[in-house]
Amino acid sequence: MATHLSREQTEAWLDESVVQGVESESGDGAEYNLQLQLSRLPLHVIKEETWGPLRVVGECTFDTDRVAALVENAERRQELLLGLNPVLAGAPGFYTFLDDEGDPCEFPRIHSILLEDRLYPDGASQQALMNSVMATASTMRSIQNTAAALQNQSIQSAHDDSTE
């Protein structure tokens, strides 16, 4: 039988030695939306309906000029996608590419990647919640690291070309 997961219960399950800055947001129609940080990465734990799942959500935005340049260049974009494939394959739950207006899109129009993992009440526990939060944050960090590595390769290639 499904159990109602209250905001208080969900907050109590968040390990304070790992998660920082838990704040409750309101106004988006959800029963509750907990915004938190894990290693400076913003995450949300959202409960939309009383008997619905907990949604662990993170978003990686490609909003710097250097990352935007990777996405705009067809060759570099392909390298980015190849680098991200293993990261996204191991991501908990699912992911969606979003354009600059927040709508789902194909990879060439990507502005951000939305990650979402769902924990249903009959399988929710402190262990399941923390596993989901940590795996989502780890995926976000891996996306950032992959993009940064490609940026550095681009910078190094440009530097090498200019010194020849």
Side-chain angles (χ1 to χ4, degrees):
M1 177 169 182
T3 338
H4 168 60
L5 298 170
S6 68
R7 181 182 57 79
E8 293 78 14
Q9 177 63 66
T10 303
E11 280 189 69
W13 280 348
L14 294 170
D15 184 344
E16 293 176 3
S17 66
V18 177
V19 172
Q20 300 86 36
V22 178
E23 295 180 18
S24 185
E25 293 185 354
S26 60
D28 58 2
E31 184 171 323
Y32 57 87
N33 180 347
L34 302 175
Q35 183 176 357
L36 51 103
Q37 288 194 11
L38 191 146
S39 187
R40 297 181 311 177
L41 295 169
L43 295 159
H44 292 265
V45 177
I46 303 167
K47 180 83 177 291
E48 291 178 340
E49 300 172 6
T50 301
W51 303 104
L54 291 177
R55 297 174 50 227
V56 176
V57 178
E59 185 173 351
C60 288
T61 304
F62 300 127
D63 57 358
T64 66
D65 290 339
R66 291 191 318 186
V67 177
L70 286 177
V71 173
E72 290 170 7
N73 178 297
E75 183 179 321
R76 301 303 294 173
R77 182 174 56 239
Q78 185 64 25
E79 290 176 28
L80 179 61
L81 182 58
L82 288 172
L84 291 176
N85 273 339
V87 173
L88 295 173
F94 63 96
Y95 62 90
T96 304
F97 299 140
L98 301 176
D99 64 18
D100 58 357
E101 295 181 15
D103 295 322
C105 68
E106 296 297 321
F107 193 75
R109 294 182 35 237
I110 191 171
H111 177 73
S112 64
I113 300 175
L114 182 74
L115 302 166
E116 181 174 335
D117 192 23
R118 291 180 176 227
L119 302 174
Y120 291 88
D122 59 348
S125 65
Q126 181 178 23
Q127 185 67 52
L129 177 60
M130 288 307 301
N131 282 349
S132 180
V133 166
M134 290 189 293
T136 300
S138 180
T139 300
M140 291 171 70
R141 183 67 74 213
S142 294
I143 290 168
Q144 290 176 344
N145 290 344
T146 300
L150 282 172
Q151 287 174 11
N152 290 339
Q153 284 178 351
S154 293
I155 292 168
Q156 186 62 44
S157 294
H159 176 72
D160 292 347
D161 291 344
S162 69
T163 58
E164 290 179 358

